[in-house]
Amino acid sequence: MGRSVSPKRSVKPLRPSYILDEQIGFILRQVWQRHATIFAREIGINLTPTQWAALAKLTETGPCSQNLLGRLTAMDVATIKGVIDRLTARGLTETSPDPEDGRRLLVSLTRAGQQLAEKAAPNALAISRETLAPLDAKERETLIALLDKLR
């Protein structure tokens, strides 16, 4: 007796429960990569995003401790130390003893750092505008508000 062979039916695979392109982390990473490309092209000076963040925040706050600057710029202790070391080596920041606590150093902008921050600020604003360019004004406002809620 011959064996009957049943024809194989074509079965459509089930949709996986995890689709990478729909995940917030993956989307944010792609948006960050786009923004980083725009930043590198448009900043106009040799600065990384973390270096610019430190300069911009020091422009806002004035001298502050390295630890506080790290918290204000969302950088861990090792990262902010490396950023400040590189900025200081370039003559853009300097440290001095805190008059209220001799164990702590204050980080401040040098005159060159202030001038560079002033020169780069219009480029940094243009980078933000270009990053958000695909959105209309209401969408930009909504996106920023939603992202603020996720911080």
Side-chain angles (χ1 to χ4, degrees), residues 7-92:
K8 290 188 176 183
R9 285 190 270 160
S10 167
V11 178
K12 185 177 178 188
L14 296 175
R15 177 180 157 88
S17 60
Y18 187 94
I19 306 294
L20 182 63
D21 288 348
E22 297 172 359
Q23 304 310 309
I24 186 64
F26 185 66
I27 294 166
L28 288 173
R29 186 166 58 84
Q30 289 178 310
V31 172
W32 168 251
Q33 288 170 332
R34 180 175 163 270
H35 172 75
T37 299
I38 294 166
F39 182 93
R41 184 183 71 231
E42 300 295 333
I43 194 62
I45 45 182
N46 184 24
L47 284 178
T48 66
T50 52
Q51 290 169 347
W52 169 246
L55 290 176
K57 189 52 78 173
L58 285 170
T59 300
E60 291 175 37
T61 64
C64 68
S65 72
Q66 189 169 284
N67 187 288
L68 176 59
L69 184 60
R71 289 194 310 271
L72 294 173
T73 57
M75 290 183 230
D76 62 40
V77 172
T79 301
I80 192 63
K81 181 182 182 335
V83 166
I84 295 305
D85 287 350
R86 285 184 288 282
L87 291 173
T88 299
R90 290 178 62 182
L92 301 174

Side-chain angles (χ1 to χ4, degrees), residues 132-149:
L132 295 171
L135 306 176
D136 66 33
K138 183 67 176 159
E139 289 170 328
R140 287 191 295 271
E141 187 180 304
T142 301
L143 176 65
I144 298 299
L146 291 172
L147 290 173
D148 268 343
K149 286 180 82 169

Side-chain angles (χ1 to χ4, degrees), residues 52 55 58-59 62-63 91-93 108-121:
W52 169 246
L55 290 176
L58 285 170
T59 300
L92 301 174
T93 57
S108 57
L109 293 174
T110 62
R111 182 175 303 284
Q114 290 170 335
Q115 290 171 342
L116 187 108
E118 288 170 14
K119 178 183 173 191

